[in-house]
Amino acid sequence: MDNYKEKSSENASQIKREIERLRYNHCVPNSPTLDPNYLYRDFFNHAKEITELFKTLKPIIKDDRERLWSEYRNLCDKVSSKQNTERNESSRNRGNLEALINDAYHKANGAGNREGLDSARAFLTEILGYMKEKRLLKNDREYLWENWVRASGKLKSSRERIQRDGYIIAKHNAEGCSDYINENPYDALKRIKEVQSEIKGMYMNREQRGEVYEILNRIWESASSKIGVIKEEKRKKQEDWKERTGGNIERWEKNVEKAEDTISHIKDNITKLEDEAANARTDEHTERVRGWIEEGYQKISDIENSISGWEERISSVKEKLR
């Protein structure tokens, strides 16, 4: 009889120890002590082993068996209820988050510019925060993660599409700048600056933007080279013009000098003719001399007009040479 009681007590103690292990050994790390979360698969696998103990461990006093069984079932019912609550909560969270992820997917798919992409990316980041905060079972979390990754992939493909469209337009506009070089290279430089301003607002990746700027730089150098040729030709023409003009000024100045000498000689001759007219013996001779004097004054007037024309040319050319 004593051996029966002792064996019953040992068996009851063993089951008690297993129930306590079941209670504390399958909790999620760092979960609340008073209301812990459980690793349910491990918990219920262990529970099956305890159920077998109740069947196989004998003898156990009836009162002890009933007390331990009640304690064991209460624990299992409590954990099972908690598991069902968590499943229901996880299912609700999964449904809500899945709807948000679908919205984010369509938002990313419909984005037409950088602002739309930024909005979709911010929305996905916000959803990811919810996924970390909300209670989710492993399978629900994995399912949502797959959907979130799919939406993130759509955001990436939309970004590539928008960047590609921007690149095509920017490249076309950049290459079009070369059309201005032969007609007017200054217009080419002006158009390059306009395109540079335009592409600042276009969404492209670094490589695409670099290629467009490389095209613009190449055309800028070509236009600048063309302008350099034009300036050199203009400089040569200017030098040739200055050289020719310098010879003209020298010739005109000599003409003025000769004309002034001629006027001086004519005036001297007029003085002599006036003396001759004053001492003329006949009226006929006086009239003839007076005619010569008038011709002298007319020549002076014509020469002075020529001098005025030459001086105007000299003044005008010298002003241009300054």
Side-chain angles (χ1 to χ4, degrees):
M1 188 67 177
D2 290 339
N3 288 336
Y4 177 86
K5 289 183 178 180
E6 183 178 349
K7 185 63 175 175
S8 295
S9 178
E10 289 177 0
N11 289 340
S13 296
Q14 182 179 347
I15 292 177
K16 176 64 175 177
R17 287 194 300 272
E18 287 303 318
I19 292 173
E20 292 304 304
R21 286 180 59 225
L22 180 66
R23 188 190 307 277
Y24 295 113
N25 287 9
H26 306 298
C27 298
V28 175
N30 301 321
S31 62
T33 303
L34 297 179
D35 186 24
N37 298 318
Y38 286 90
L39 301 170
Y40 295 108
R41 179 177 296 179
D42 294 343
F43 179 93
F44 287 110
N45 285 337
H46 191 182
K48 290 178 181 178
E49 295 175 2
I50 295 175
T51 299
E52 288 299 315
L53 285 179
F54 275 104
K55 295 178 181 180
T56 58
L57 279 180
K58 296 178 181 180
I60 300 177
I61 297 173
K62 182 180 179 181
D63 289 343
D64 289 341
R65 179 182 293 277
E66 290 177 351
R67 175 178 54 78
L68 290 171
W69 180 258
S70 176
E71 182 179 351
Y72 166 67
R73 286 313 310 166
N74 287 338
L75 176 59
C76 289
D77 290 345
K78 176 183 176 182
V79 173
S80 179
S81 175
K82 188 174 183 64
Q83 183 184 34
N84 289 333
T85 299
E86 289 182 6
R87 281 176 176 169
N88 292 334
E89 183 180 0
S90 179
S91 179
R92 287 195 304 272
N93 289 336
R94 167 177 162 164
N96 294 334
L97 289 169
E98 184 178 10
L100 291 177
I101 292 172
N102 287 336
D103 288 345
Y105 179 92
H106 293 299
K107 195 177 185 70
N109 186 49
N113 51 40
R114 187 169 188 171
E115 290 72 21
L117 292 172
D118 289 343
S119 177
R121 182 173 61 249
F123 192 24
L124 278 171
T125 300
E126 185 178 3
I127 293 171
L128 187 60
Y130 293 151
M131 289 169 59
K132 293 177 180 179
E133 295 171 2
K134 299 297 182 180
R135 178 169 291 177
L136 292 165
L137 296 180
K138 182 179 179 182
N139 61 326
D140 290 335
R141 188 176 298 279
E142 290 175 350
Y143 173 81
L144 289 172
W145 174 250
E146 290 176 359
N147 279 266
W148 189 92
V149 170
R150 184 173 69 92
S152 181
K154 176 53 65 175
L155 177 65
K156 179 181 179 182
S157 64
S158 293
R159 179 184 298 109
E160 291 172 350
R161 167 178 54 80
I162 293 171
Q163 289 177 338
R164 182 175 61 254
D165 291 346
Y167 165 72
I168 291 172
I169 294 172
K171 183 180 180 183
H172 174 76
N173 292 344
E175 291 174 339
C177 294
S178 62
D179 296 340
Y180 295 86
I181 292 178
N182 291 329
E183 294 180 7
N184 188 335
Y186 290 98
D187 287 344
L189 298 185
K190 180 181 177 181
R191 179 55 185 153
I192 288 172
K193 292 178 181 179
E194 292 174 351
V195 172
Q196 287 174 332
S197 178
E198 291 169 3
I199 64 178
K200 286 180 180 179
M202 293 183 177
Y203 189 35
M204 295 179 281
N205 62 39
R206 181 179 298 178
E207 290 75 15
Q208 291 167 337
R209 191 174 296 276
E211 184 176 341
V212 172
Y213 274 112
E214 185 176 338
I215 293 171
L216 290 175
N217 289 338
R218 189 165 59 247
I219 297 174
W220 182 281
E221 291 176 1
S222 179
S224 297
S225 177
K226 182 75 172 180
I227 289 173
V229 171
I230 293 173
K231 286 183 176 180
E232 180 61 21
E233 291 176 351
K234 186 176 181 180
R235 186 192 65 79
K236 287 181 179 179
K237 288 181 180 179
Q238 183 73 5
E239 291 296 326
D240 292 343
W241 179 81
K242 286 182 178 180
E243 186 176 345
R244 292 194 307 272
T245 301
N248 289 336
I249 290 175
E250 184 178 354
R251 187 177 69 255
W252 293 333
E253 287 177 341
K254 287 182 179 179
N255 288 344
V256 170
E257 185 178 348
K258 289 179 180 179
E260 288 176 344
D261 288 343
T262 300
I263 289 174
S264 179
H265 291 308
I266 292 174
K267 286 182 177 180
D268 290 342
N269 190 46
I270 288 174
T271 300
K272 292 178 181 179
L273 289 173
E274 287 178 344
D275 290 342
E276 184 176 344
N279 297 320
R281 293 181 180 180
T282 64
D283 292 338
E284 181 181 356
H285 183 65
T286 300
E287 288 297 322
R288 187 165 51 251
V289 174
R290 289 294 177 191
W292 293 339
I293 292 173
E294 288 298 324
E295 289 177 2
Y297 281 119
Q298 184 61 49
K299 286 181 181 180
I300 289 174
S301 177
D302 292 341
I303 294 172
E304 285 178 341
N305 288 335
S306 295
I307 290 173
S308 178
W310 289 325
E311 287 179 340
E312 286 181 6
R313 293 178 189 176
I314 292 170
S315 176
S316 175
V317 171
K318 284 184 176 181
E319 182 67 26
K320 293 178 181 179
L321 288 175
R322 290 177 182 175

